[in-house]
Amino acid sequence: MSANEDQEMELEALRSIYEGDDSFRELSPVSFQYRIGENGDPKAFLIEISWTETYPQTPPIISMNAFFNNTISSAVKQSILAKLQEAVEVNLGTAMTYTLFEYAKDNKEQFMENHRPFHSTTSISNMISVETPSTAPSSKKKDKKEQLSKAQKRKLADKTDHKGELPRGWNWVDVVKVFKQNWLERG
């Protein structure tokens, strides 16, 4: 069998196996992503596998450069990629995309045992706050909230329920007045 025939057969198999699986994503007929772990899981990660022209006789390209993996340190990523490369060497010459995804799912805890989540958003917010000190004083004056007196707060609290929402039917009196006026004008 040629490499293209092997790839076509594996593509069909992957589509049928992962049909309806939200974790699997076909980026192109030769490139696939799979999320290992649930969406909210801090130890979840995304693997991308791309086939070369001569795959499966040559190894696929495995990447963890997706934005989803930004909270994973580069050391942990390199460790996962090294372990996946070992699995590639064992399966070279056979269709291995499904095998690699399942291997990663089965060994997720082992792969992520040294993972300490860090948030790259903190460094971005620090950079933003450092870059904008000259505009900060003028915006503080505009953001000042209106202060309410005790009487105003009490009146507002009396109108609303414990959630701060107006009770059902609070404006029905006005509707009744309008209907009454319309009825009197016609009558």
Side-chain angles (χ1 to χ4, degrees), residues 31-187:
S31 186
F32 312 93
Q33 284 183 341
Y34 197 84
R35 183 185 68 239
I36 310 298
E38 296 301 315
N39 245 347
D41 185 1
K43 291 191 174 188
F45 58 94
L46 194 74
I47 297 175
E48 185 175 324
I49 297 179
S50 301
W51 298 340
T52 59
E53 286 185 25
T54 55
Y55 169 85
Q57 283 68 37
T58 58
I61 300 165
I62 303 173
S63 171
M64 290 188 67
N65 293 334
F67 182 77
F68 188 85
N69 296 331
N70 277 355
T71 60
I72 302 173
S73 70
S74 59
V76 172
K77 288 180 191 177
Q78 291 303 320
S79 170
I80 293 171
L81 290 172
K83 291 173 184 170
L84 288 172
Q85 285 298 336
E86 291 173 11
V88 166
E89 297 301 322
V90 171
N91 293 300
L92 199 59
T94 63
M96 69 181 89
T97 304
Y98 171 78
T99 306
L100 294 174
F101 288 151
E102 292 302 308
Y103 175 72
K105 281 182 10 184
D106 294 342
N107 295 294
K108 176 188 152 210
E109 292 301 320
Q110 179 188 355
F111 286 176
M112 299 299 281
E113 67 187 357
N114 295 325
H115 173 60
R116 302 289 176 261
F118 68 89
H119 300 287
S120 59
T121 55
T122 56
S123 62
I124 292 171
S125 64
N126 289 343
M127 289 185 334
I128 290 171
S129 64
V130 169
E131 292 176 9
T132 58
S134 61
T135 59
S138 63
S139 64
K140 284 183 183 176
K141 293 177 185 174
K142 294 177 186 175
D143 292 342
K144 191 173 181 180
K145 284 190 171 183
E146 179 183 331
Q147 296 293 323
L148 298 177
S149 68
K150 271 188 177 180
Q152 289 171 324
K153 288 178 185 176
R154 195 174 300 122
K155 188 175 181 182
L156 186 62
D158 289 341
K159 287 183 181 177
T160 60
D161 61 4
H162 68 282
K163 294 180 185 175
E165 298 175 358
L166 293 169
R168 183 172 179 245
W170 67 274
N171 61 349
W172 288 0
V173 175
D174 296 335
V175 172
V176 171
K177 285 181 186 175
V178 169
F179 282 134
K180 185 177 177 183
Q181 286 175 351
N182 288 340
W183 185 72
L184 291 174
E185 289 174 4
R186 288 184 193 169

Side-chain angles (χ1 to χ4, degrees), residues 6-18 51:
D6 286 342
Q7 288 180 11
E8 287 176 21
M9 287 179 55
E10 186 172 4
L11 179 61
E12 282 182 40
L14 288 171
R15 285 177 177 162
S16 66
I17 291 170
Y18 291 118
W51 298 340

